[in-house]
Amino acid sequence: MSHAAAHDHHDDHDHHMPTGFRRWFMSTNHKDIGTLYLIFSLAMLMLGGAFALVIRAELFQPGLQYVDPHFFNQMTTMHALVMVFGAVMPGFVGFANWMLPLMVGAPDMALPRMNNWSFWILPFAFSILIISFFVPGGAPASGWTLYAPLTIQGGMSVDMAIVAIHMMGISSIMGAINVIVTVLNMRAPGMTLMKMPMFVWTWLITAFLLIAVMPVFAGAVTMLLTDRHFGTAFFNPAGGGDPVLYQHIFWFFGHPEVYIMILPAFGIISHIIPTFARKPLFGYSSMVFATAAIAFLSFIVWAHHMFTVGMPLQGELFFMYATMLISVPTGVKVFNWVTTMWRGSMTFETPMLFSIGVVFLFTLGGLSGLMLAITPADFQYHDTYFVVAHFHYVLFAGAVMAMMGGTYFWLPKWTGHMYNEKLGKLHFWLTAIAFNITFFPQHFLGLAGMPRRYADYNPIFTEFNVMSSVGAFCLGFSQLLFIYIIISTVRGGKKATAEVWDNPEGLEWTVPSPAPFHTFDTPPTVK
Amino acid sequence: MASHSPDQYYVPDSSYYPFACSIALFFIALGGAFLLNDVSAGPTMMGIGFAVMGILLFLWFGSVVKESPEYNMDVDRSFRMGMSWFIFSEVMFFAAFFGALYYLRQLAIPWLAETELLWPGFEASWPSAGPIGAELVTNGDPDAAAVMEGTKYSLIDPLHLPLYNTLLLLTSSVTLTISHHALRDDKRKAAIIWLALTVVLGVVFLVLQAEEYIVAYQIHGLTMGTGVYGSTFFMLTGFHGFHVTLGAFILLVVLLRMMKGHFSGEKHFAFEAGAWYWHFVDVVWVGLFIFVYIL
């Protein structure tokens, strides 16, 4: 494929790049908006990480050291809200913005102004969330799930969290509509659905999940709001309501949300592994169908988050078996990645290290998930550190590490410079090792019965908590290296070629590095 | 950039609307949270937010209308897909409330009745205002004193106002379709008349719905605080009414544009988007009529 498409000039020479305020605040360019999303995500990762370090500092030893329990609860709540809605989701939208038009050969996202609105809502929504620290009673302290009846009794910050969530929901839904329309309507001629790159497929399905469940979450928090202020009784048994109803609605959103946060990660490593194994992705179509199957199943497993709440036995059984079923399509994916690597000409550049790390560590998280799916066993594990360990293996080692790998993979395409490979590898090893020191001991803590979301604990849990806290600080400060590498790559470094890697697949590698401000004004043809 | 050749996808020039709309949304949201907690700045903030948002959306939609001659069929398809998925998200929003209705009625109330220790003597039935809620009076109006105290309530007869409202909305879908066919045949005058009739039917629906709320509060003693029945009744019909208001406003704008000579027989995305939205609120109403009023 020629590079002509990227250099296409047309008659009205208004192709120049806007600068300053106009470029960054009024953008309709998918690459700039993608960059904004990625910077925002990284900033939120640091903020949420700082909250996590407060938690780990307090839990370094038993007893109360640095913060009071109420503030500790604010930290656990805000850590989760910031990481889920501020770091992981916008991070993947940033990747989608940058890469989807490049991968499908489109000139931009389908609805560029709405794209910019999706982004700019987020800093304002998170401002409201942060301001809530300074209102009477402090930030929300109910856990990110905002369970009734605790949130019915909470202070002003609960209302602020609710309106912030509404704003994030508006942003997510608009972003998801944009992704779906771009993928379905803007593909280059010849790119049939079953020729789409995996990242495009996973984001298409993720966007569907977002549109299906974000409004349900909006409904749930709206009921909270009216229960708090307008006298309704959705979650109040005295009026015939049921707090468990909140949990059902929340997790009907919450479980697909889990896949919203992991499917794009699957997409990213499905690009990286074939590139560095120098083999096409094994079982492309089974990958697509596995993704769709996971998305379907995500709608019928929600109550496994609430096994101990008191459900009818049939319900417990149904949700147990449905949950276990998810391991089938997920297993298909893991085996496909492993088989892609099988007898490949493997090299281990930083993106590949992160991807192999994801496959290994995510699978560990998947296996602990299988343990949690077993209803009678879950009665023991529920709300313990075992759950905390489980979802950090899938969310940090799955979603966040895949984003880090994706950053190293496409950073040369974005900036035009190669990153420092030695430092990148160092970052990987620091992250992977510190991550395991932080979270592996939490499995043992949970199995021994240490409950989550407490500022204090029984002294028998001390050793593993010390390990976990030491690991957490190493993990947190290792990320400063990540920021340093990104900044130095943006500023300079070895020039990257258009292909960057050894014969990678995909339209994004046919445009120069850095990708020009406008690409594919005239669509390329895919054979 | 703005590529103006018809074979290229229209990518709009940079725009301040999204950023400014985000600021307005910030004022609305934070002002709303303040308002609910008696912070004095709340109402002002919210008012400013709504006013600015209104102006910005007017300008934003205005510029889309101005640009629309340059949109090719690909852009048109993007808009259509975008609107369809937006309506799907609205469907899911209502699904949350219908789901809540199902859960409360079929599961939560019976389970509550089983917990004899907590609520002795509470019988599972529907409608219910819960164990300590008001008492349902099935025949005739409850006495005014009991309504004022909130101890008794009665139901709205589905065969009066709600039935009229059902007929109104169903008729409005028909008139809207007639208008659409007239527009496609370039019979502009007929299209305008039938669309105007649709808007009028929508407004009459809203007036009757307001009347129903007044009657519910003042005569039936049925309020948002009437336990789960009042909660689900007012939240479902209230959000529906809000959507009818929005749909009627969209159709009104389309009507004004049509009177100014916008749209052609082939190209009239705004009309169709408004029509889809209108049919969507119509379908939701049919669901409400069956599951909230009749059953």
Side-chain angles (χ1 to χ4, degrees), chain B residues 122-161:
Chain B
F122 174 65
E123 302 275 342
S125 64
W126 188 265
S128 169
I132 67 161
E135 181 197 339
L136 174 66
V137 181
T138 41
N139 45 356
D141 298 336
D143 61 287
V147 166
M148 293 302 288
E149 289 161 13
T151 53
K152 284 188 178 158
Y153 72 103
S154 63
L155 299 179
I156 287 166
D157 181 5
L159 297 180
H160 285 107
L161 278 185

Coordinates of all heavy atoms in Angstrom, one line a residue, chain B residues 122-161:
Chain B
F122 N -48.6 -7.8 57.3 CA -48.5 -7.2 55.9 C -48.8 -8.2 54.9 O -48.2 -9.3 54.8 CB -47.1 -6.6 55.7 CG -46.9 -6.1 54.3 CD1 -47.6 -5.0 53.9 CD2 -46.0 -6.7 53.5 CE1 -47.4 -4.5 52.6 CE2 -45.8 -6.2 52.2 CZ -46.5 -5.1 51.8
E123 N -49.8 -7.9 54.0 CA -50.2 -8.8 53.0 C -49.6 -8.3 51.6 O -49.6 -7.2 51.3 CB -51.7 -8.8 52.8 CG -52.5 -9.1 54.1 CD -52.7 -10.6 54.2 OE1 -52.5 -11.3 53.2 OE2 -53.0 -11.1 55.3
A124 N -49.1 -9.3 50.9 CA -48.6 -9.0 49.6 C -49.7 -8.7 48.6 O -50.6 -9.5 48.5 CB -47.8 -10.2 49.0
S125 N -49.7 -7.6 48.0 CA -50.7 -7.2 47.0 C -50.1 -6.1 46.1 O -49.1 -5.6 46.4 CB -52.0 -6.8 47.6 OG -51.8 -5.6 48.3
W126 N -50.8 -5.9 45.0 CA -50.4 -4.8 44.2 C -51.6 -4.1 43.7 O -52.5 -4.8 43.3 CB -49.5 -5.3 43.0 CG -48.9 -4.1 42.2 CD1 -49.4 -3.5 41.1 CD2 -47.7 -3.4 42.6 NE1 -48.6 -2.5 40.7 CE2 -47.5 -2.4 41.6 CE3 -46.7 -3.5 43.6 CZ2 -46.4 -1.5 41.6 CZ3 -45.7 -2.7 43.6 CH2 -45.5 -1.7 42.6
P127 N -51.7 -2.8 43.8 CA -50.7 -1.8 44.2 C -50.4 -1.9 45.7 O -51.3 -2.2 46.4 CB -51.3 -0.5 43.8 CG -52.4 -0.8 42.9 CD -52.9 -2.2 43.3
S128 N -49.2 -1.5 46.0 CA -48.9 -1.5 47.5 C -48.0 -0.2 47.7 O -47.2 0.1 46.9 CB -48.1 -2.7 47.8 OG -47.5 -2.6 49.1
A129 N -48.3 0.4 48.9 CA -47.4 1.5 49.3 C -46.5 1.0 50.4 O -45.9 1.8 51.1 CB -48.2 2.6 49.8
G130 N -46.4 -0.4 50.6 CA -45.4 -0.9 51.5 C -46.0 -1.0 52.9 O -47.1 -0.6 53.2
P131 N -45.3 -1.7 53.8 CA -45.8 -2.0 55.2 C -46.3 -0.8 56.0 O -47.3 -0.9 56.7 CB -44.6 -2.7 55.8 CG -43.8 -3.2 54.7 CD -44.0 -2.3 53.6
I132 N -45.6 0.3 55.9 CA -46.0 1.4 56.7 C -46.6 2.6 55.8 O -46.8 3.7 56.3 CB -44.9 2.0 57.6 CG1 -43.8 2.6 56.7 CG2 -44.3 0.9 58.5 CD1 -42.9 3.6 57.5
G133 N -46.8 2.2 54.5 CA -47.3 3.3 53.6 C -48.8 3.4 53.7 O -49.5 2.8 54.6
A134 N -49.4 4.3 52.9 CA -50.8 4.6 52.9 C -51.6 3.4 52.6 O -51.1 2.5 51.9 CB -51.1 5.8 52.0
E135 N -52.9 3.4 53.0 CA -53.8 2.3 52.7 C -54.5 2.5 51.4 O -55.0 3.6 51.1 CB -54.8 2.2 53.9 CG -55.7 1.0 53.8 CD -56.9 1.2 54.7 OE1 -56.8 2.0 55.7 OE2 -58.0 0.6 54.4
L136 N -54.6 1.5 50.6 CA -55.3 1.6 49.3 C -56.8 1.5 49.5 O -57.3 0.5 50.2 CB -54.8 0.5 48.4 CG -55.5 0.4 47.0 CD1 -55.3 1.6 46.2 CD2 -55.1 -0.8 46.3
V137 N -57.6 2.4 49.0 CA -59.0 2.4 49.0 C -59.5 2.0 47.6 O -59.2 2.7 46.7 CB -59.6 3.7 49.4 CG1 -61.1 3.6 49.5 CG2 -59.0 4.1 50.7
T138 N -60.1 0.9 47.5 CA -60.4 0.4 46.1 C -61.7 0.9 45.5 O -61.7 1.1 44.3 CB -60.4 -1.2 46.1 OG1 -61.2 -1.6 47.2 CG2 -59.0 -1.8 46.0
N139 N -62.7 1.2 46.3 CA -63.9 1.7 45.7 C -64.2 3.1 46.1 O -64.3 3.4 47.3 CB -65.1 0.8 45.9 CG -65.2 0.4 47.4 OD1 -64.3 0.7 48.1 ND2 -66.3 -0.3 47.7
G140 N -64.2 4.0 45.2 CA -64.5 5.4 45.5 C -63.3 6.2 46.0 O -62.2 5.6 46.2
D141 N -63.4 7.5 46.1 CA -62.3 8.3 46.6 C -62.2 8.2 48.1 O -63.1 8.1 48.8 CB -62.6 9.8 46.2 CG -62.8 10.0 44.7 OD1 -62.2 9.1 44.0 OD2 -63.5 10.9 44.3
P142 N -60.9 8.3 48.5 CA -60.7 8.3 50.0 C -61.2 9.7 50.5 O -61.2 10.6 49.7 CB -59.2 8.1 50.1 CG -58.7 8.6 48.9 CD -59.7 8.4 47.8
D143 N -61.5 9.7 51.8 CA -61.9 11.1 52.3 C -60.8 12.0 52.3 O -59.6 11.7 52.4 CB -62.5 10.9 53.7 CG -61.6 10.4 54.7 OD1 -61.3 9.1 54.6 OD2 -61.1 11.1 55.5
A144 N -61.1 13.3 52.1 CA -60.1 14.3 51.9 C -59.2 14.4 53.1 O -58.0 14.7 52.9 CB -60.8 15.7 51.7
A145 N -59.6 14.2 54.3 CA -58.8 14.3 55.5 C -57.7 13.3 55.5 O -56.5 13.6 55.7 CB -59.6 14.2 56.8
A146 N -58.1 12.0 55.1 CA -57.1 11.0 55.0 C -56.1 11.2 53.9 O -54.9 10.9 54.1 CB -57.8 9.6 54.7
V147 N -56.5 11.8 52.8 CA -55.6 12.2 51.7 C -54.5 13.2 52.2 O -53.3 13.1 52.0 CB -56.3 12.7 50.5 CG1 -55.4 13.4 49.5 CG2 -57.1 11.6 49.8
M148 N -55.0 14.2 53.0 CA -54.2 15.2 53.5 C -53.1 14.6 54.4 O -51.9 15.0 54.4 CB -54.9 16.3 54.2 CG -55.9 17.1 53.3 SD -55.0 18.0 52.0 CE -54.1 19.2 52.9
E149 N -53.6 13.7 55.2 CA -52.6 13.0 56.2 C -51.7 12.0 55.5 O -50.7 11.6 56.1 CB -53.4 12.3 57.3 CG -54.1 13.2 58.2 CD -55.2 12.5 59.0 OE1 -55.2 11.2 58.9 OE2 -56.0 13.1 59.6
G150 N -52.1 11.6 54.3 CA -51.3 10.7 53.5 C -51.5 9.3 54.0 O -50.6 8.4 53.9
T151 N -52.6 9.0 54.7 CA -52.8 7.6 55.2 C -53.7 6.8 54.2 O -53.7 5.6 54.3 CB -53.6 7.7 56.5 OG1 -54.8 8.4 56.3 CG2 -52.7 8.3 57.6
K152 N -54.3 7.4 53.2 CA -55.1 6.7 52.3 C -54.9 7.2 50.9 O -54.6 8.4 50.7 CB -56.6 6.8 52.6 CG -57.0 5.9 53.8 CD -58.5 5.9 54.0 CE -58.8 5.0 55.2 NZ -60.1 5.3 55.8
Y153 N -55.0 6.3 49.9 CA -54.9 6.7 48.5 C -55.8 5.8 47.7 O -56.2 4.7 48.1 CB -53.5 6.7 48.0 CG -52.9 5.3 47.8 CD1 -52.8 4.8 46.5 CD2 -52.5 4.5 48.9 CE1 -52.2 3.5 46.3 CE2 -52.0 3.2 48.7 CZ -51.8 2.8 47.4 OH -51.3 1.5 47.2
S154 N -56.2 6.3 46.5 CA -56.9 5.4 45.6 C -56.2 5.5 44.2 O -55.3 6.3 44.0 CB -58.4 5.9 45.5 OG -58.5 7.2 45.0
L155 N -56.7 4.7 43.3 CA -56.0 4.6 42.0 C -56.7 5.4 40.9 O -57.9 5.7 41.0 CB -56.0 3.1 41.5 CG -55.3 2.2 42.5 CD1 -55.4 0.8 42.0 CD2 -53.9 2.6 42.7
I156 N -55.9 5.7 39.9 CA -56.5 6.4 38.7 C -57.1 5.4 37.8 O -56.5 4.3 37.5 CB -55.3 7.2 38.0 CG1 -54.9 8.4 38.9 CG2 -55.7 7.6 36.6 CD1 -53.7 9.0 38.5
D157 N -58.3 5.7 37.4 CA -59.0 4.7 36.5 C -58.4 4.7 35.1 O -58.4 5.8 34.4 CB -60.5 5.2 36.4 CG -61.3 4.2 35.5 OD1 -60.7 3.2 35.1 OD2 -62.5 4.5 35.2
P158 N -57.8 3.6 34.7 CA -57.1 3.6 33.4 C -58.0 3.9 32.2 O -57.5 4.2 31.2 CB -56.5 2.2 33.4 CG -57.3 1.4 34.3 CD -57.8 2.3 35.4
L159 N -59.3 3.7 32.4 CA -60.2 3.9 31.2 C -60.7 5.3 31.1 O -61.5 5.6 30.2 CB -61.4 2.9 31.4 CG -61.0 1.5 31.4 CD1 -62.2 0.5 31.5 CD2 -60.2 1.1 30.1
H160 N -60.2 6.2 31.9 CA -60.5 7.6 31.6 C -59.3 8.4 31.0 O -59.0 8.1 29.9 CB -61.0 8.3 32.9 CG -62.4 7.9 33.2 ND1 -62.7 7.0 34.2 CD2 -63.6 8.2 32.6 CE1 -64.0 6.8 34.3 NE2 -64.6 7.5 33.3
L161 N -58.7 9.2 31.8 CA -57.6 10.0 31.2 C -56.5 9.1 30.5 O -56.1 9.4 29.4 CB -56.9 10.9 32.3 CG -57.7 12.2 32.6 CD1 -56.8 13.0 33.6 CD2 -57.8 13.0 31.3

